[in-house]
Amino acid sequence: MTTIFGHVINGMESADGPRFDSVDPWTRTPWAEVALGGADEAGRAVKAARRAFDEGRWPRMGHAERGALLHRFADLIEEHTDELALADSRDMGKPVVAARAIDAPRTVWNIRFFADHARLATSEAYPMDSGHHAYTRYEPAGVVAAIAPWNFPMMLESWKFAPALAWGNTVVLKPAEHSPASATVMARLALEAGIPPGVLNVVHGYGPASVGEALTTDPRVDRITFTGESGTGRAITAAAARALTPVSLELGGKGANLVFADADLDTAVEWSIKAIFTNAGQVCLAGSRIYIERAIAEEFTARFVAAAEALIVGDPRDPSTQVGPLASETHWRKVCGYLDDPGGKVLTGGRGDGWVVRPTVVVDVPADAPLQREEVFGPVVTLTLFDTEAEAVGLANDSPYGLNAMVFTENLSRAHRVSAALRAGTVWTNCFFVRDLRAPFGGVGDSGWGREGGTFSREFFTEPKAVIMAVQESP
Ligand code: NAD
């Protein structure tokens, strides 16, 4: 029996029109059929979201009632962890164990966190000397278009819709065409949780001249939150400019990872391996440029290469697999293009069977080579040596991207000094991937516009309103 994932618009799932196949990147065969939308479906979803916002209860509910529904939604996602994890794994090839351990719990946490954050938030009051006082109301912005990538499907989709919903907005979610399934499952669960029809809509399709473009040019949309490639971010910003729709952009990265001679090498190797080979390197935050202080270069390199070679590459459904195939044939070809001409010496790795790239380590790559400057978005890392702290910071900052960086050192002053000097939205010291959802998340340069997380998400998904009152003097 064919597995089908439909659009979910105004509480109704439908896959009546044209469909496309979702191809499992491990078997390289279709595993599901997905409704293929276009401008019509996008328009219908925006209309439903508009009506649910303008006339429905969702934006008018108290935070406690809305929060309770969101927690119920999170409960259901928790109960459906296996189904959701398998859907993401089959769609884009990530090990199902990782989807269960990382993506699903993070999805649940995104929803619970923003439900509570909105319910517990305070707003500012401004006592004024002039016999007035002023305060801020954080009112929902309206209809939010959320456009997501395929690398952490449910997790990154929930990172967008959870704060939007918690602050009383309605949402049209467009998942990436390579990872559509979990979005439909989540929309079904939202309805089951009692979230009203039209509040969370899902439309499947492509970007340019399709659902994505229709959403970004629709004047009925009040906010666009996008995660994806920097080039797509530019196209979306240009499209959104026509209706002056505010855009939040979480874009590509080329994370620098600085390993100083005074680092704890066990910690540095363990996190550096995770930072580049988790999710087969298909991570915006990947530590794809490692800079090593010369004094420890030999030992670090030997241990890093041994750890890379020990990773188990293979079938994403096998519980022992740590690195699966790349998400699609197109993407695999793109990553292989870098391996054809790496610009340096490959110590280990290379193409595997099917759409697999084995964990690949390259040394002696010049600073201006594509492998050092472009986002590969695969399990490929460069190792480069440095002699001084200033040189390390200079190399790290020599990038159009600025999403994140890592520092490994046991010297506290150096940790603070280098963290301050790095041009990045997030710096991890002696760790990687740890998040506090209250902290700002986003990038500088080609890595994005704006920040999300905690109050930063509130700023984007609300219209802060100033209310100023005259206070009468006592008669
Ligand atoms: P992508 O830009 O190709 O696609 C992302 C989404 O945008 C998809 O849903 C796609 O259909 C849609 N889209 C494409 N063109 C569009 C257009 N013209 N108008 C509207 N929508 C359009 O990105 P991808 O390949 O799915 O994801 C990988 C990229 O995402 C990498 O660059 C990665 O670094 C980035 N990423 C960033 C973060 C972050 O938080 N900064 C997180 C994850 C991924």
Side-chain angles (χ1 to χ4, degrees), residues 147-151 156 174-177 205-208 212-213 216 226-230 232 235-236 250-253 283-284 375 377 403 441 447:
I147 301 179
W150 47 258
N151 57 334
L156 291 176
K174 193 204 95 57
E177 49 272 36
Y206 302 106
E213 190 174 317
T216 54
F226 170 73
T227 301
E229 285 183 10
S230 304
T232 312
I236 286 178
E250 298 187 337
L251 307 177
V283 181
C284 54
E375 184 185 43
F377 219 54
L403 190 57
F441 183 80
S447 290

Side-chain angles (χ1 to χ4, degrees), residues 26-80:
W26 178 248
T27 63
R28 288 173 280 152
T29 55
W31 78 278
E33 286 185 14
V34 183
L36 175 59
D40 282 358
E41 288 74 13
R44 280 203 292 119
V46 172
K47 188 174 170 193
R50 192 72 262 167
R51 183 178 306 154
F53 185 81
D54 293 337
E55 299 165 24
R57 283 202 64 234
W58 186 255
R60 293 162 190 86
M61 270 179 200
H63 282 297
E65 186 180 357
R66 213 159 43 215
L69 289 171
L70 288 170
H71 274 288
R72 175 75 192 122
F73 181 25
D75 294 341
L76 290 173
I77 290 182
E78 224 159 19
E79 286 167 27
H80 287 75

